[in-house]
Amino acid sequence: GAVVSQHPSWVICKSGTSVKIECRSLDFQATTMFWYRQFPKQSLMLMATSNEGSKATYEQGVEKDKFLINHASLTLSTLTVTSAHPEDSSFYICSAREGRSYNEQFFGPGTRLTVL
Amino acid sequence: AQKITQTQPGMFVQEKEAVTLDCTYDTSDPSYGLFWYKQPSSGEMIFLIYQGSYDQQNATEGRYSLNFQKARKSANLVISASQLGDSAMYFCAMRPLLGGATNKLIFGTGTLLAVQP
């Protein structure tokens, strides 16, 4: 299957700083990318959906000014957690899909964010 | 609105035995896809099996099979001959197949499977 990478795999930062997480599709063009958040022992919750070249669509309750998503190319999307606080500590997973809606969705390995 | 329900928060199974993980869903979409993913402790989401709502036969992939009962809106995962490496979190997910490229994949709450030697 296709490969999606995330960088970094883990990050620790101080409260108040901003953190950028990259998601790359390595061997296909990701027309749509998704960002999920997962708290320990919980399910994946969709944060936002982004299409290349357009603004992301955020799920209800997700602050778009806090979680900045940029999908500038068909192989790269970034999630920036601005002014991170301890409650933002979580496992962030990106997913990418090529083309039409019934295509398989491929997941990155996730990024574990810890805010101290 | 779509909803996925996994009623088993955790399960034990003996090595080499079969186990069924339950999943029921609710949707008003006429065409949809059902997915099962495995998430080991490393966190990566591993795709296991897919069933389309109009598929006539139940999907199978090696030791994984999907018991799809459309009228009951259930899509249970059956793992045959359990192995120690099957110990992980298992998520059922659904996505409508019509309506455009941004159709969202919605996950259930997951079932933690522990395989005992």
Side-chain angles (χ1 to χ4, degrees):
Chain A
V3 178
V4 176
S5 71
Q6 276 185 247
H7 178 80
S9 55
W10 60 269
V11 57
I12 303 173
C13 69
K14 292 182 178 180
S15 185
T17 60
S18 295
V19 175
K20 180 184 283 188
I21 303 170
E22 291 186 349
C23 175
R24 294 181 184 272
S25 58
L26 298 186
D27 50 3
F28 68 100
Q29 293 186 326
T31 49
T32 306
M33 284 188 168
F34 305 86
W35 286 95
Y36 293 84
R37 181 176 182 175
Q38 186 181 29
F39 291 109
K41 300 184 180 176
Q42 294 189 22
S43 186
L44 280 73
M45 299 302 296
L46 181 65
M47 299 174 66
T49 302
S50 71
N51 290 308
E52 184 264 338
S54 60
K55 290 185 178 180
T57 301
Y58 290 80
E59 294 299 302
Q60 192 172 10
V62 178
E63 300 175 60
K64 61 181 180 181
D65 294 331
K66 181 167 186 62
F67 300 99
L68 302 178
I69 292 172
N70 185 292
H71 191 167
S73 76
L74 284 171
T75 59
L76 174 65
S77 176
T78 59
L79 167 68
T80 301
V81 183
T82 62
S83 186
H85 291 283
E87 58 266 28
D88 299 323
S89 298
S90 187
F91 192 56
Y92 292 87
I93 305 175
C94 76
S95 180
R97 192 166 71 208
E98 178 183 29
R100 292 171 289 185
S101 62
Y102 52 79
N103 282 10
E104 187 178 340
Q105 193 168 321
F106 301 98
F107 285 83
T111 296
R112 190 163 302 281
L113 170 64
T114 302
V115 185
L116 302 177
Chain B
Q2 300 173 76
K3 187 176 180 181
I4 295 278
T5 302
Q6 294 179 254
T7 57
Q8 306 153 313
M11 289 191 70
F12 286 101
V13 65
Q14 210 68 28
E15 193 178 9
K16 299 180 183 177
E17 292 186 350
V19 62
T20 298
L21 306 184
D22 295 341
C23 173
T24 57
Y25 60 91
D26 194 17
T27 182
S28 56
D29 293 293
S31 181
Y32 50 89
L34 295 156
F35 304 77
W36 276 93
Y37 289 86
K38 171 184 178 181
Q39 187 181 41
S41 57
S42 59
E44 61 182 312
M45 295 291 285
I46 302 170
F47 167 75
L48 295 179
I49 196 167
Y50 166 82
Q51 177 86 43
S53 59
Y54 285 101
D55 293 341
Q56 295 295 318
Q57 293 187 323
N58 287 346
T60 61
E61 287 286 348
R63 293 187 299 111
Y64 304 108
S65 60
L66 203 152
N67 184 0
F68 180 47
Q69 298 187 43
K70 192 173 182 178
R72 298 178 62 181
K73 294 190 174 181
S74 73
N76 298 340
L77 176 70
V78 180
I79 305 175
S80 62
S82 297
Q83 301 172 356
L84 296 178
D86 294 335
S87 296
M89 195 74 166
Y90 289 81
F91 290 99
C92 179
M94 178 176 67
R95 184 177 73 221
L97 299 182
L98 302 175
T102 55
N103 283 341
K104 299 174 285 191
L105 188 64
I106 303 299
F107 288 86
T109 51
T111 296
L112 183 61
L113 177 67
V115 181
Q116 296 178 310

